[in-house]
Amino acid sequence: MNREGFTGFSRGEARTRTATSLNFETQGPLNKLMRLPWGFILLIAAMALTGIAMLYSSAHTNPVEAHLWKLQLVRFIFCFFMMIGLALLPLSWWMRLAFPAYAGTVVLLVLVELMGVTGGGAQRWLQIGPVAVQPSEFAKLAVTMALARYYQMVLQPQSGRILVHLGALAIILLPAALIFKQPDFGTTLALVASGGVVIFLAGLSVRVIGTAIIGGVASVWPVYQFVLAPYQRERVDTFLAQLFGGATNALGESYQIEQGKIAIGAGGLNGRGFLQGIQSQQDYVPEQHTDFILTVIAEEFGFLGSTALLIGFAVLLGWSLYSAARSVSWFGRLASAGAVATVGFYIVFNVGMVLGLLPVVGMPLPLISYGGTAMLTTMACFGLIIAAHMHRDEKLTARGLF
Amino acid sequence: MSKKPADLDFAFTRRTAIAGTIGGMVWAGLIARLFQLQILDKERYQAQAEANHIKLQLAPPQRGRILDRFGRPLASHRRAGRISITPEQTDDPEHTLAQVAALIELPDERLARIANEIRLSRRRNAGFVPVTVAHELTYEDFARMNVHAAEMPGVNVEMALTRSYPRGRDFAHVLGYVARASQDDLVRLTEGMSDKESETLKTMFRHPDMRTGRQGMERFAEEWLRGKPGYRKLVTNAHGRVIEEIPDERLAPTAGRDLFVTIDSDLQRVAIERFEGESGAAVVMDVETGDVLAMVSTPAFDPNDFVNGISTASYAELRDDTRSPLYPRAHGGVYPPGSTFKMVVATAALESGTVKPTDRVHCNGYYHFGNRTWHCWKKGGHGSVNLHTGIKGSCDVYFYEIARRTGVDKIAETARKFGFGQDWVLGMTGGRGGLVPDREWKQRVRKESWYEGETLNFGIGQGQLGTTPLQLALMTARIATEGKPFKPRMIGIGPQSQDDHTLDAPLDPEVMKLMKAGMYGVTSEGGGTAYRSGDLGLGGPRLAGKTGTAQVRRISREERLSGVRSGSEIARELRDHALFVAYAPADNPKYAISVVVEHGEGGSRTAAPVARDILHFALKTDSRRKPTYSQSASLPKSMTDDGEPT
């Protein structure tokens, strides 16, 4: 196979684009705004608004939660403008921010450990003034940026060394360990997984990957036996039991999954219609407005609705990955791809959990689930992806740590 | 080993494609799972979503009330706290029951019974029907249970509507009472029904709020009062606890209809009070409309005691009471009418033409017939007696003579024209027809022929003849109306008995006028047996009546000779019953009454004053005035005793 020829095509295309983008660049900031990928942005907005509608549907009968959709709408509008702002940031700025953001996140994670607020059985929240934040959410973006920044620094001069990837692994594992200790198994998994994707894309050799996979599979049993907390083990047990059709206590741990599955199944092809879901309207499914929001969509809009949602996500992520591949800088490529992986794993974990394919890991559905921090992280990820797309031809040179 | 940047670029592109492909496969897997859940397994999950969580709970209809002619409730509803356990909503009903027992006082015997009921309920696959644990909770118990109910799945603490009889004992024998349907009740109620209908009915009657009429109008008008059951659409969470009720008009139960009776409950009360603790019966009728205004039988039981099941001990007490409070005297008590029957005998004699009003009979105190001697109540006799003085002085000898001349069959036929020998239902249960004997009856039942001597006893209302106070009032009304067709009724709006008919057999008005004259003489002329009771005390209207004495036992020859016939010398339960029938006002009859005072001895001394006072009240308050139910088409909404609409 002629590798040169193929590479040449992509570089040639890049050159053409460089010329056009330079032309636009000269015509001022308004034109930059117009060059934003508006189709992509509108799809994001449409999906987030769908999520708010579903939030209304799931919570409007509950007096305590009835107002949440308004709160979520306000958050979305804020995050939307933040995303546009982030999208316009040149990649060099992103790169300068990468290590400080990473350092800051690690500090916050340590603070959580020391003085965090316990919520839902784990110490995840940090009260900063009036807002409670989940530093573990920020960690996903920060790690992605830090990894991209790291590879930008090391790949150009001395690419391909296996040892190079050890540094990347360290960047991932430091916050991952802190998050795992909270304990938040799901976020840890997502962080390691999306970090792993970045390392894979950065060119880790196939042999090492194969070894890692074998090692990972081998470590499943020891991790289950010695690392997981009892409640986490219980969840895995429940998951396995329901996956293989074993007897589960319908009122116990698997109740949420069971009720969720009933809601999804009851939706059928077309669904029961907006605000018409039996399960959704009666609070059968715990956490339905957060992690189990998919059950509302599935019940009220059926197979067509839930598939449309997944296809919407696929379009967002596919376009993002394609855009990442076209970036000339390693930072642009890897940060963008890492953001895609972060959002992608959110979706896979959440949907897999709700559909009973994965254990309950407490992962929100991006853009759709209720929750401020997840919304912030997701929108920041899309901001980074758009920024990488806008500045795909920007040549970057990494000097020092900033 | 170092690679050229171009190689790295290519590797990145390739790996991106690989990552994208893997992602696409994962996505396809998720969509496949959605397809499985939402398309392939749809039926199962939809069934679960529908069935698990929307429960239809049987909702009993509210029983109709029973109201008197002026809309005053005789049978209504009262709110009372109640605890029940729904067996299917708790994993361990025994444990739940123990939890409840720890909070309120429950006798062990009752606990065992409830535990058994719960087991039965589960066996019948009817675990969704709540089993009552305690009713009529005190306020403290109700409050305490309410606080703790949330911790005990399957335990319901609620306000239930309980059947209530605000007039207590006053209408025990008229209204009867309701009770939980027994197996016998269910068999009776489902007779002739299809399997499906009867199953629905049985399920409904298992509900703790459901009662069925066991006696009286409650039983007679059961279907009118019952209504149709509905369902409550309840949403439950995964634990089976009811989260909310979805209102659904189409499923709501249809309340039973109110039943309006012709009784004036105030008149009833006054009449009962007037008996001053004596046992007896009184029936008051409006002679123009046939409305029964009072139907008194005293003593009586309190139907409220039966609604939630009466204890065996309390029931035994009622049953064994020598004064028989369970005995419906007014329509089920059969008494010899004594001298009150003499108008019937006289009517028969006059109508048959064997006797003229002016025919005279000489009474010297006794009457010989065959080889026996019959006595007149008046020692020494009445002397020369005609129809008028015969009735006025209630001369036995006169009636021996005319009865003998008239013959038993003619008297019996006439008696039936007055309504004797028939059970008048009027919406009640437990009524009896009494007995009007004749030759045919004696031959059929006793297999003997009729003796002429029996006709003599018949002539003074003794012997085999048995009548109820209700029949005596009917007789009086027929005389007062001078033989116009007469139909008694006690249900104003509601189902009417098919067995009751209009008394329209012709009676000669001229004869009736003579009867009235005789009855007027009784209360208002010298020589009348109830001369002192004629004045109603209303400055004008008088009553016309007839006294009677019903022998409780045969008077022996020795007693008659020794003169011991009355007073404290004989045991109370052996004393004669005192009877009095009357109508008022004498010149323009509106009311007819019959009164029996058991063991009251003399009609004139004890029964007549009772009748006089009841008629006094009826006339004074105009008991027969137009009933409210006939005035307005719009009936009042169902209400509880405390006046709250329900």
Side-chain angles (χ1 to χ4, degrees), chain B residues 346-629:
Chain B
T347 303
L350 293 175
E351 285 193 339
S352 71
T354 50
V355 176
K356 289 186 185 59
T358 50
D359 287 358
R360 289 195 165 266
V361 173
H362 187 79
C363 170
N364 51 15
Y366 50 88
Y367 184 82
H368 290 293
F369 183 76
N371 56 0
R372 274 189 63 190
T373 303
W374 275 261
H375 292 268
C376 184
W377 66 270
K378 190 171 182 179
K379 276 185 180 173
H382 288 84
S384 180
V385 175
N386 65 7
L387 176 77
H388 186 76
T389 51
I391 294 173
K392 186 169 75 176
S394 196
C395 176
D396 291 342
V397 169
Y398 177 82
F399 282 93
Y400 294 143
E401 173 61 20
I402 67 166
R404 192 188 56 76
R405 284 198 226 166
T406 308
V408 54
D409 287 345
K410 178 62 190 168
I411 299 172
E413 184 201 318
T414 309
R416 292 191 187 98
K417 293 205 286 192
F418 281 98
F420 291 107
Q422 194 204 331
D423 174 13
W424 294 89
V425 180
L426 306 183
M428 296 179 290
T429 61
R432 288 167 69 186
L435 177 69
V436 179
D438 56 16
R439 288 176 200 279
E440 187 270 331
W441 167 83
K442 181 115 192 249
Q443 193 63 51
R444 180 166 47 83
V445 179
R446 295 284 171 88
K447 312 274 185 258
E448 286 172 22
S449 43
W450 184 267
Y451 299 108
E452 280 296 292
E454 289 173 294
T455 311
L456 270 56
N457 261 339
F458 199 9
I460 60 162
Q462 304 284 359
Q464 308 294 344
L465 179 65
T467 61
T468 63
L470 171 58
Q471 291 168 344
L472 290 170
L474 275 175
M475 172 197 79
T476 313
R478 284 223 79 180
I479 295 168
T481 57
E482 295 173 3
K484 287 195 192 101
F486 186 80
K487 182 166 189 191
R489 60 167 190 173
M490 201 159 40
I491 290 179
I493 299 178
Q496 300 294 336
S497 166
Q498 300 305 307
D499 299 328
D500 296 338
H501 59 90
T502 305
L503 278 172
D504 52 6
L507 289 166
D508 185 344
E510 293 310 311
V511 173
M512 291 302 107
K513 282 196 173 80
L514 292 169
M515 296 304 121
K516 285 169 76 178
M519 288 171 76
Y520 184 78
V522 169
T523 59
S524 308
E525 291 170 8
T529 54
Y531 183 54
R532 284 159 301 183
S533 300
D535 187 4
L536 283 166
L538 294 165
R542 297 184 68 82
L543 64 84
K546 180 75 192 78
T547 56
T549 303
Q551 277 177 24
V552 170
R553 71 204 164 110
R554 228 183 153 73
I555 297 162
S556 70
R557 190 179 170 78
E558 294 73 38
E559 281 171 334
R560 197 183 296 279
L561 288 174
S562 66
V564 181
R565 271 200 66 190
S566 64
S568 52
E569 290 153 78
I570 51 173
R572 185 187 171 278
E573 64 270 22
L574 296 177
R575 291 180 211 160
D576 294 341
H577 300 317
L579 287 83
F580 193 73
V581 299
Y583 61 83
D587 52 352
N588 180 24
K590 298 293 180 197
Y591 299 93
I593 187 172
S594 70
V595 171
V596 175
V597 180
E598 289 189 342
H599 311 298
E601 298 204 304
S604 61
R605 206 180 64 211
T606 53
V610 171
R612 194 200 78 100
D613 290 349
I614 295 171
L615 287 175
H616 169 91
F617 183 84
L619 277 163
K620 197 175 71 184
T621 60
D622 195 14
S623 289
R624 59 184 288 280
R625 68 185 184 274
K626 213 171 176 191
T628 49
Y629 53 74

Side-chain angles (χ1 to χ4, degrees), chain B residues 120-331:
Chain B
L120 278 175
S121 168
R122 296 200 132 184
R123 203 174 310 151
R124 284 195 298 246
N125 285 328
F128 54 87
V129 177
V131 172
T132 304
V133 175
H135 35 66
E136 310 279 310
L137 292 183
T138 63
Y139 177 76
E140 285 78 16
D141 281 347
F142 183 75
R144 187 163 54 241
M145 282 305 301
N146 249 334
V147 170
H148 292 285
E151 304 151 19
M152 299 181 284
V155 173
N156 325 304
V157 180
E158 56 210 347
M159 275 299 191
L161 287 180
T162 305
R163 192 62 154 178
S164 141
Y165 300 99
R167 300 276 172 159
R169 290 165 206 276
D170 289 8
F171 293 93
H173 298 298
V174 173
L175 303 180
Y177 56 86
V178 293
R180 292 298 302 274
S182 67
Q183 201 54 45
D184 290 346
D185 289 329
L186 290 176
V187 169
R188 173 171 56 84
L189 290 167
T190 56
E191 208 179 289
M193 281 186 174
S194 71
D195 283 359
K196 192 163 168 282
E197 285 173 322
S198 95
E199 206 40 59
T200 311
L201 198 78
K202 283 178 181 170
T203 310
M204 171 174 76
F205 273 116
R206 283 191 206 113
H207 192 283
D209 277 355
M210 278 305 292
R211 295 287 185 278
T212 186
R214 192 57 77 60
Q215 275 189 6
M217 285 189 177
E218 291 277 27
R219 175 164 170 172
F220 176 82
E222 168 69 21
E223 282 181 44
W224 176 279
L225 292 166
R226 188 196 296 148
K228 289 195 178 63
Y231 289 93
R232 295 167 71 199
K233 211 173 185 180
L234 299 175
V235 180
T236 58
N237 69 6
H239 302 281
R241 188 176 298 288
V242 174
I243 299 170
E244 67 166 321
E245 184 172 347
I246 302 174
D248 192 334
E249 282 298 311
R250 292 163 304 166
L251 294 176
T254 313
R257 283 167 288 186
D258 286 345
L259 183 74
F260 290 83
V261 297
T262 60
I263 300 265
D264 171 7
S265 53
D266 283 353
L267 181 67
Q268 177 96 352
R269 182 91 280 273
V270 163
I272 290 167
E273 276 167 11
R274 186 57 188 78
F275 274 85
E276 292 167 347
E278 292 297 322
S279 58
V283 178
V284 182
M285 284 181 187
D286 178 341
V287 299
E288 282 182 3
T289 59
D291 285 356
V292 176
L293 300 170
M295 176 75 68
V296 172
S297 173
T298 180
F301 59 92
D302 187 345
N304 289 306
D305 295 343
F306 286 77
V307 173
N308 286 321
I310 189 164
S311 74
T312 321
S314 308
Y315 186 75
E317 204 175 298
L318 284 173
R319 190 192 53 208
D320 300 337
D321 189 331
T322 51
R323 288 156 51 80
S324 310
L326 297 174
Y327 180 42
R329 292 171 168 80
H331 60 294

Side-chain angles (χ1 to χ4, degrees), chain A residues 11 159 200-201 203-204 251 255 259 261-262 264-266 268 279 282 284 298 302-303 306 310 321 333 355, chain B residues 3 8-9 12 15-16 20 27 33-35 37-39 42 45-46 48 50 53 235-238 244:
Chain A
R11 291 184 66 82
S159 57
F200 167 76
L201 293 177
L204 182 63
L251 303 184
Y255 164 72
Q259 293 300 319
K261 274 161 76 177
I262 291 173
I264 293 166
Q279 297 281 97
Q282 298 302 336
Y284 287 117
F303 177 69
S306 44
L310 285 186
L321 205 58
R333 290 169 181 173
L355 298 184
Chain B
K3 284 180 186 168
L8 278 175
D9 286 348
F12 178 75
R15 290 197 173 195
T16 308
W27 244 247
R33 174 69 168 172
L34 279 171
F35 184 79
L37 292 175
Q38 298 197 275
I39 306 296
K42 176 180 79 176
Y45 289 120
Q46 277 180 346
Q48 281 187 30
E50 298 273 0
H53 307 302
V235 180
T236 58
N237 69 6
E244 67 166 321

Side-chain angles (χ1 to χ4, degrees), chain B residues 623-645:
Chain B
S623 289
R624 59 184 288 280
R625 68 185 184 274
K626 213 171 176 191
T628 49
Y629 53 74
S630 67
Q631 284 165 355
S632 66
S634 65
L635 302 176
K637 281 276 171 212
S638 199
M639 308 254 260
T640 51
D641 288 356
D642 36 332
E644 280 178 77

